[in-house]
Amino acid sequence: MAKDITKPDFSVIFDLLQAFRWSKTMFAAVSLGVFDALTNGALSLEILAQRLKANPDALGRLLDGCVGLQLLDCDDRGYRNTPAAAAYLCLKSPLSVASYVNYSNTFYWKLWANLEDAVLEGTNRWKQSFGWEDNIFTNVFRTEEAKREFTLAMHGYGLMTSPEAVAAFDLSRFRRFVDVGGATGHLVIAACERYPNMQGVVFDLKEVVPLAREVVGASNVAGRIKVVAGDFFVDPLPPADIYGLGRILHDWPEEKIAKLLTKMCDGLPPGGGVLIMEKLIHEDRRGPVWALMQSLNMLTLMEGKERTLSEYETLFRRAGFSEVYGSRNSTPLDAVLALKAG
Ligand SMILES: C[S@@+](CC[C@H](N)C(=O)[O-])C[C@H]1O[C@@H](n2cnc3c(N)ncnc32)[C@H](O)[C@@H]1O
C-alpha cells in the first residue's frame, strides 16, 4: 500500500502561477477599450467585436476571463462593467486608474520581464528592456503621449491616497504647502481642500508644468495654488512651512535623499514640516505584500526602494529634523510627518 504522504497546500503556488494571466487579462481589456466601450451599458459580443475590430471568438474568451475576474457581468443582454470596472478602469471616470493600468502594460510589464537581471546587478532595466539609458523621467518625457499617460497614472492613484495623507495629521497651522515633484498636484489640492487657510505650490520639472496647470486649474482650489517649474536637486525650492513629497523618496538612493531633505530642513522655519506619502514596509519586513512588491518595482524602474518607518526616521533625523511620526492606512500609500525643531 502507498504511504499516506501529507502534501503541503498547493493553492499558494497555483494562484501565483496564474497571477500574471489575471493581470494581463485586465491590461489587455483596458488597452483594447473594452470597459470604455461598455460605459453606456451592456453590449453583445457581436457588437463589441465589431466596435473593437476584434476576432469574435478570441474576444469572447477575453470577456469571459473578465467575468471570472469580476471585472464584467454577463446576462441575456450581453456584457456589462461591474461597479469596480466602471469606477476604476474607464478612462473618463473621475476615479480612473486606467492610465496606471496602461502604463503597467507598456512599461512595468517589460521591465519586470528582466527582474532576474535586476536582482543580479542591482540596477533598473530601462537599457535592457527598451535600449534607453537614464531613469524613468527622461524616458517618459520622450513623447507627449507617454508623459501624459505616466502623469495621469500617478494622478489616478493619488486621488485615492492624498485625502487620507493630508488628514493623517493636523496640518492646520501650516500656511504654505509646496508639493515637491507634485506632478498634477493632487496632494497639494487635497491639502488646500482640507485646510481653508492654506496656499499651495506644485513644484515639478518644466515638462510636467502644462498638465499640472490643467489639473490644478480645474480644481475647486485653483485660486490658491501656483505651479512652478524647477529641478529639486538643483534649483532653490519655493519657500514653504510644509513641503509635500508624494512618492518621491522611494525613487532615490540615500545620498540623494539626504541632499534633498537637508535642503528642505535648512529652508524651513522653526516648527516647519515635511509630509511624505509612501507605502511603509513593516519593521519586521514581513509585509504588506503591496509594499514589498513595490520595492521590487522600484528596483526595475529607478534607483530607490520602499522603506520602513524607522528607515525614514533615520533619513529625516540625519537631515536635521527632530520629530518623525508615521500613520498607516488602508489606501495604497501611508503618510509620514517630519518636523524641524520649533
Ligand atoms: C513618482 S512621480 C510622483 C508624482 C506625485 N508626487 C504623485 O504622488 O503622484 C515623481 C515626480 O517627480 C518629478 N521629478 C522627478 N525628478 C525631479 C526633479 N529632479 N525635480 C523636480 N521634479 C522631479 C517627476 O516629474 C514626477 O512628477
Side-chain angles (χ1 to χ4, degrees), residues 137 141 150-151 154-155 158 179-184 186 203-205 208 230-233 245-248 250-252 277 333:
F137 303 114
F141 295 156
F150 170 74
T151 312
M154 296 293 118
H155 184 71
D179 190 357
V180 176
T184 55
H186 52 80
F203 182 82
D204 207 307
L205 296 169
V208 177
D231 181 324
F232 54 57
F233 287 128
L245 288 168
R247 286 175 288 185
I248 301 298
H250 77 166
D251 289 339
W252 306 107
M277 200 168 61
L333 297 171

Side-chain angles (χ1 to χ4, degrees), residues 137-333:
F137 303 114
T138 322
N139 295 325
V140 297
F141 295 156
R142 272 163 195 271
T143 68
E144 227 11 74
E145 196 193 348
K147 183 173 73 181
R148 209 177 163 86
E149 184 125 286
F150 170 74
T151 312
L152 291 177
M154 296 293 118
H155 184 71
Y157 247 103
L159 291 179
M160 268 187 261
T161 52
S162 287
E164 295 255 5
V166 299
F169 309 98
D170 179 7
L171 307 180
S172 57
R173 65 188 181 284
F174 298 110
R175 292 285 178 272
R176 295 171 301 166
F177 188 117
V178 176
D179 190 357
V180 176
T184 55
H186 52 80
L187 184 60
V188 67
I189 291 172
C192 287
E193 281 173 350
R194 186 169 181 92
Y195 302 103
N197 295 321
M198 203 172 250
Q199 304 282 324
V201 173
V202 178
F203 182 82
D204 207 307
L205 296 169
K206 65 179 185 325
E207 291 87 344
V208 177
V209 163
L211 189 56
R213 292 219 164 101
E214 190 181 314
V215 175
V216 167
S219 76
N220 55 13
V221 286
R224 286 194 274 138
I225 300 178
K226 291 194 188 118
V227 180
V228 174
D231 181 324
F232 54 57
F233 287 128
V234 177
D235 298 316
L237 299 175
D241 49 20
I242 181 162
Y243 287 110
L245 288 168
R247 286 175 288 185
I248 301 298
L249 299 189
H250 77 166
D251 289 339
W252 306 107
E254 278 66 19
E255 327 70 87
K256 290 188 181 171
I257 292 177
K259 195 174 162 190
L260 180 59
L261 293 185
T262 304
K263 178 151 82 168
M264 287 181 163
C265 194
D266 291 349
L268 282 168
V274 175
L275 177 73
I276 71 165
M277 200 168 61
E278 302 282 1
K279 197 69 193 168
L280 296 172
I281 292 185
H282 295 155
E283 294 299 327
D284 64 7
R285 313 199 78 82
R286 298 285 189 274
V289 173
W290 157 242
L292 303 174
M293 294 297 110
Q294 182 68 340
S295 204
L296 284 174
N297 197 45
M298 300 323 291
L299 172 65
T300 69
L301 190 68
M302 280 297 297
E303 302 167 39
K305 59 183 173 184
E306 303 307 319
R307 297 179 171 87
T308 63
L309 178 58
S310 54
E311 286 171 328
Y312 282 117
E313 182 165 1
T314 303
L315 290 167
F316 276 117
R317 287 190 186 277
R318 276 192 199 140
F321 291 87
S322 63
E323 293 169 57
V324 181
Y325 304 96
S327 169
R328 294 173 201 275
N329 64 55
S330 57
T331 76
L333 297 171

Side-chain angles (χ1 to χ4, degrees), residues 10 27 37 78 184 230:
F10 181 61
F27 294 175
T184 55

